[in-house]
């Protein structure tokens, strides 16, 4: 991708330390620089910058990244805006700017298509069904015009025939209006009610199409040079002024939710186009508001995707509340049945998202039983780890403690230290905090460049790592052979939308942990993170098979498995003998002590 080269060229020429120095007073510390973090109230300098690695990280609030991430965050810029500013400084001519002419052409294509769809809605016999649908949702002709609504005709080539000669099929494809099939290209949107998606200047750049029946019910434009669903919000250009004025945005799921709220005078409503909110969308919201009120229907709001989205918003520095609806209501139905004020009440009474989350856990698991408590603790652990704010983490721990009738301090300790559940199939046995901390240390060694990749890759594979760590190890496995692997990995994780892992990875790069005897520490960590858990999984499987064979009276199998079990036990004791030998030589258990430091850093 051309932009990728631009980004590399900018990074080569722009000095991170001098960019950061414009905002933060830095003093030299070790191989890097330190200062007070500009993103949280920082009394002890916890903000670290490495010019050599091109990365920064704050140990107070967990923020971190490269020069782009810094400028985006501090100036509240989009990635492209940050890139443009840095490109000017570095004297790099951006491919994206060279492509401006092409983008103008695509905008003309999309605008023409929007007019075409609008005319179909207003004037054709086939449009009757779409007209009836919109009227049934309370949208009269004036609203169709206000929001540019339209209708895509049935048939495979209406848009292709209408615009093929004028714009060329390749431009229609590039604008996301056609799809390439085996027998040539054809219309992407057929027999659908059409909702144009606008950019911040109010120009149509893409579409959402709603089917009358059939799947998918909602179809969005594919990613095009103009549109990337993960970086746009439906209705933002109508809502931006009202959002700024109110200081908060009402975030809904679908197109008609947005329009219904706007028609009811709730003009700070925007649509996430699905419940899985992305970092790009959170950054966009953060440019206009300090608070987001989530107004999804109840099932959607409790879903894993929505909860993850709330964490992304919160970790981006926004306050997040959730509006509560009855089981059969959503924003659209509420307004149509009870009017706009009922929705305003729901927004006013919205609860902080962590309260909402804890309530939803209680609805799923019974906190009066030990099993229910276990389930709630397990799920709350993941939730807790996904939140970066320390005060909020403490509130969550207090909430869980009170909910379960357990001592708050104990709960806080468990939430902070217990290992996250492994993916199904990996086995629960033998997964301890030691493994978690050993993974921390292995990834630290790799990301700081302390050890050669091959030494760890010879023993470990991604499947050995707990799910939260796995993407980091995978990114390391894919990193090109260059001197700055750490920056590449952090950026790669961010590109994948794995903000949390990107933050964790950047914290490893700056981890202030020293391995006095690196070889010894490496072997110890590989034992704890990889060899021992693998052995224990095998042992658990054999024990299970042995029970089955025993119950079935299969003597041959029992003999074979008993032998196997004996072998594994020997292997395990040889592992611990080796460990004792290593420790004996040095006299103390350095490995354990080291683990504590890095786990604080995440
Ligand atoms: Zn900070």
């Amino acid at each position: 991708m051309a932009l990728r080269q631009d980004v590399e060229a900018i990074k080569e020429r722009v000095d991170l330390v001098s960019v950061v120095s414009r905002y933060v007073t830095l003093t030299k510390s070790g191989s890097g620089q330190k200062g007070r973090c500009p993103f949280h109230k920082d009394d002890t300098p916890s903000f670290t910058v490495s010019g050599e690695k091109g990365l920064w990280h704050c140990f107070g609030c967990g923020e971190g990244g490269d020069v782009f991430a810094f400028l985006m965050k501090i100036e509240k810029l989009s990635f492209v805006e940050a890139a443009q500013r840095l490109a000017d400084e570095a004297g790099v001519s951006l491919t994206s700017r060279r492509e401006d002419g092409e983008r103008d052409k695509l905008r003309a294509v999309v605008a023409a298509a929007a007019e075409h769809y609008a005319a179909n809605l207003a004037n054709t016999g086939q449009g009757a069904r779409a007209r009836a649908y919109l009227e049934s949702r309370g949208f009269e002709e004036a609203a169709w015009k206000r929001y540019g609504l339209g209708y895509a005709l049935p048939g495979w080539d209406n848009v292709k025939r209408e615009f093929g000669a004028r714009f060329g099929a390749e431009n229609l494809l590039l604008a996301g209006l056609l799809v390439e099939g085996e027998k040539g290209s054809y219309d992407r949107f057929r027999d659908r009610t059409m909702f144009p998606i606008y950019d911040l200047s109010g120009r149509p750049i893409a579409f959402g199409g709603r089917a009358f029946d059939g799947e998918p019910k909602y179809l969005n434009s594919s990613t095009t040079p103009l549109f990337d669903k993960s970086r746009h919000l439906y209705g933002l250009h109508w809502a931006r002024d009202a959002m700024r004025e109110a200081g908060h945005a009402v975030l809904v799921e679908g197109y008609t939710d947005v329009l219904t709220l706007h028609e009811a005078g709730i003009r700070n409503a925007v649509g996430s186009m699905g419940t899985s909110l992305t970092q790009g969308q959170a950054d966009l919201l953060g440019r206009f508001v300090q608070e987001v009120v989530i107004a999804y229907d109840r099932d959607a709001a409790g879903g894993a995707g929505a909860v993850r989205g709330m964490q992304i918003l919160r970790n981006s520095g926004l306050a997040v509340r959730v509006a509560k609806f009855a089981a059969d209501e959503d924003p659209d139905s509420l307004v149509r049945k009870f009017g706009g004020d009922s929705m305003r009440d729901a927004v006013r009474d919205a609860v902080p998202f962590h309260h909402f989350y804890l309530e939803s856990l209680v609805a799923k698991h019974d906190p009066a039983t030990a099993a229910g408590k276990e389930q709630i603790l397990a799920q709350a652990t993941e939730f807790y780890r996904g939140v970066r704010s320390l005060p909020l983490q403490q509130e969550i721990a207090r909430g869980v403690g009170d909910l379960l009738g357990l001592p708050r301090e104990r709960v806080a300790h468990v939430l902070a230290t217990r290992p996250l559940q492994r993916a199904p199939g990996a086995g629960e046995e033998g997964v301890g905090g030691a493994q978690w901390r050993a993974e921390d240390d292995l990834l630290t060694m790799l990301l700081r460049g302390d050890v050669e990749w091959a030494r760890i890759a010879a023993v470990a594979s991604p499947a050995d790592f707990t799910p939260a760590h796995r993407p980091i190890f995978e990114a390391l496995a894919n990193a090109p052979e260059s001197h700055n692997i750490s920056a590449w990995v952090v950026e790669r994780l961010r590109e994948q939308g794995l903000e949390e892992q990107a933050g964790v990875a950047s914290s490893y790069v700056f981890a202030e942990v020293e391995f006095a005897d690196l070889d010894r520490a490496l072997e110890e960590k590989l034992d704890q993170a990889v060899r021992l858990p693998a052995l224990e999984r095998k042992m658990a499987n054999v024990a299970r098979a042995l029970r089955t064979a025993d119950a079935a009276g299969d003597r041959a199998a029992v003999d074979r498995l008993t032998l196997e079990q004996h072998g594994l036990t020997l292997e395990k004791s040889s592992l611990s003998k080796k460990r004792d030998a290593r420790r004996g030589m040095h006299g103390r258990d350095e490995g354990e002590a080291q683990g504590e430091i890095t786990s604080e850093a995440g």
Side-chain angles (χ1 to χ4, degrees):
M1 207 176 133
L3 187 62
R4 173 128 227 138
Q5 289 161 12
D6 290 339
V7 166
E8 289 310 316
I10 291 170
K11 277 195 183 169
E12 266 168 34
R13 284 180 226 191
V14 173
D15 174 33
L16 173 66
V17 173
S18 65
V19 171
V20 172
S21 298
R22 289 173 210 156
Y23 306 88
V24 183
T25 310
L26 294 172
T27 52
K28 195 141 178 47
S29 159
S31 64
Q33 318 258 339
K34 278 202 148 184
R36 287 182 205 281
C37 175
F39 304 122
H40 82 280
K41 198 175 165 306
D42 188 14
D43 297 326
T44 54
S46 17
F47 187 84
T48 319
V49 185
S50 163
E52 186 197 342
K53 297 217 159 86
L55 285 174
W56 57 277
H57 183 80
C58 171
F59 286 100
C61 62
E63 294 290 343
D66 57 15
V67 67
F68 294 93
F70 181 79
L71 207 60
M72 284 163 72
K73 188 128 193 76
I74 199 145
E75 293 282 357
K76 301 226 180 290
L77 301 175
S78 70
F79 179 78
V80 171
E81 287 164 342
Q84 270 165 1
R85 200 176 293 188
L86 290 170
D88 288 342
E89 232 171 87
V92 174
S93 128
L94 279 187
T95 313
S96 55
R97 209 171 276 181
R98 294 196 296 275
E99 285 165 356
D100 268 0
E102 185 197 347
R103 292 159 62 87
D104 283 341
K105 197 187 289 164
L106 293 182
R107 275 191 206 99
V109 173
V110 176
E115 275 178 38
H116 166 76
Y117 292 139
N120 293 342
L121 177 68
N123 307 326
T124 63
Q126 287 150 307
R129 205 171 163 198
R131 291 196 289 275
Y133 161 72
L134 288 169
E135 276 161 8
S136 78
R137 306 299 294 251
F139 304 121
E140 303 296 331
E141 202 168 343
W144 310 348
K145 294 226 168 70
R146 200 154 38 243
Y147 305 114
L149 307 185
Y151 171 63
L153 296 167
W156 295 86
D157 60 354
N158 289 292
V159 164
K160 192 176 178 181
R161 272 189 289 117
E162 181 83 20
F163 298 112
R166 190 165 140 204
F167 295 115
E170 68 284 0
N171 282 317
L172 298 178
L173 265 169
L174 210 51
L177 294 170
L178 298 188
V179 181
E180 191 77 81
E182 271 173 34
K183 293 179 226 148
S185 56
Y186 57 90
D187 286 10
R188 178 178 183 85
F189 298 102
R190 303 175 304 278
D191 195 23
R192 283 173 183 269
T193 306
M194 299 297 284
F195 299 83
I197 300 163
Y198 297 87
D199 65 11
L200 268 173
S201 312
R203 298 174 294 199
I205 50 170
F207 296 94
R210 183 193 183 278
F212 297 103
D213 30 48
E215 295 291 324
K217 191 164 175 201
Y218 285 96
L219 180 68
N220 290 308
S221 292
S222 51
T223 299
T224 74
L226 298 178
F227 174 70
D228 174 354
K229 189 170 151 246
S230 69
R231 297 197 170 273
H232 285 93
L233 292 158
Y234 180 65
L236 184 58
H237 87 286
W238 300 314
R240 59 191 292 181
D241 291 343
M243 277 164 56
R244 274 213 184 92
E245 250 169 63
H248 72 268
V250 178
L251 189 68
V252 295
E253 208 181 325
Y255 304 104
T256 50
D257 292 325
V258 173
L259 300 184
T260 303
L261 294 199
H262 276 256
E263 287 291 286
I266 300 165
R267 295 190 196 284
N268 56 341
V270 287
S272 51
M273 299 183 278
T275 52
S276 299
L277 197 78
T278 66
Q279 185 62 43
Q281 291 175 315
D283 293 342
L284 201 51
L285 284 163
R287 290 165 66 184
F288 301 98
V289 294
Q290 300 84 47
E291 184 185 54
V292 176
V293 177
I294 310 271
Y296 296 161
D297 73 43
R298 202 163 73 174
D299 290 347
V307 170
R308 187 72 204 101
M310 293 174 205
Q311 290 178 328
I312 290 174
L313 286 171
R314 189 60 181 70
N315 289 340
S316 305
L318 293 156
V320 185
R321 290 187 296 139
V322 182
K324 297 204 284 185
F325 299 106
D328 50 349
E329 298 288 3
D330 58 38
D332 187 272
S333 69
L334 190 71
V335 169
R336 281 189 290 127
K337 272 189 232 165
F338 306 109
D341 281 340
S342 58
M343 185 62 202
R344 283 187 194 87
D345 290 346
V347 169
R348 187 198 58 213
D349 298 336
V351 299
F353 84 111
H354 59 292
H355 293 183
F356 173 86
Y357 181 74
L358 294 183
E359 283 170 26
S360 74
L361 283 186
V362 175
K364 274 182 260 174
H365 310 285
D366 182 2
T369 67
K373 282 181 199 203
E374 269 301 316
Q375 288 290 337
I376 290 174
L377 255 185
Q379 295 197 16
T381 302
E382 276 196 44
F383 181 70
Y384 175 99
R385 299 275 178 83
V387 169
R388 274 196 224 125
S389 149
L390 181 61
L392 187 57
Q393 285 190 329
Q394 283 177 331
E395 268 194 53
I396 293 167
R398 275 200 297 274
V400 173
D402 294 350
L403 197 66
L404 304 182
L406 296 170
R408 288 167 167 185
E409 300 71 40
R410 289 284 300 144
V411 168
H413 179 74
V414 167
L415 292 180
T417 57
R418 75 179 270 164
L420 295 175
Q421 284 184 343
R422 291 203 136 209
E428 293 290 315
E429 293 97 332
V431 184
Q435 181 186 359
W436 178 267
R437 289 196 298 276
E439 289 180 6
D440 271 341
D441 286 342
L442 287 176
L443 292 171
T444 299
M445 291 174 189
L446 284 170
L447 280 159
R448 292 199 309 201
D450 297 350
V451 298
E452 292 285 320
W453 163 252
R455 284 194 64 185
I456 291 179
V459 180
S461 71
D464 291 318
F465 284 75
T466 39
H469 283 145
R470 196 171 300 148
I472 303 176
F473 192 79
E474 273 167 352
L476 275 161
N478 291 321
E481 282 190 42
S482 78
H483 58 287
N484 199 348
I485 282 172
S486 50
W488 190 92
V489 165
V490 172
E491 189 188 313
R492 172 96 189 104
L493 290 165
R494 212 175 286 280
E495 268 176 10
Q496 293 174 299
L498 300 168
E499 285 299 315
E500 193 184 332
Q501 275 83 4
V504 170
S506 87
S507 79
Y508 289 149
V509 177
F510 294 104
E512 285 175 342
V513 49
E514 301 281 341
F515 301 105
D517 181 339
L518 190 65
D519 283 336
R520 183 169 81 93
L522 176 62
E523 286 307 310
E524 190 117 313
K525 299 305 168 186
L526 283 171
D527 279 355
Q528 286 170 358
V530 183
R531 296 189 188 109
L532 200 59
L535 207 50
E536 285 177 345
R537 281 199 296 277
K538 265 193 221 161
M539 290 173 84
N541 287 339
V542 170
R544 206 173 299 135
L546 198 51
R547 279 196 300 274
T548 316
D550 205 26
D554 183 347
R555 297 296 310 167
V558 169
D559 287 348
R560 181 174 51 78
L561 288 163
T562 309
L563 255 179
E564 205 174 322
Q565 193 174 42
H566 185 62
L568 290 169
T569 313
L570 283 180
E571 239 181 279
K572 192 176 171 185
S573 77
S574 108
L575 265 188
S576 37
K577 263 189 210 133
K578 265 192 240 158
R579 187 195 56 204
D580 291 344
R582 277 195 301 265
R583 285 182 184 174
M585 271 191 311
H586 295 262
R588 70 195 161 94
D589 178 13
E590 197 180 335
E592 290 296 322
Q594 285 163 353
E596 294 298 329
I597 305 171
T598 35
S599 57
E600 288 286 310

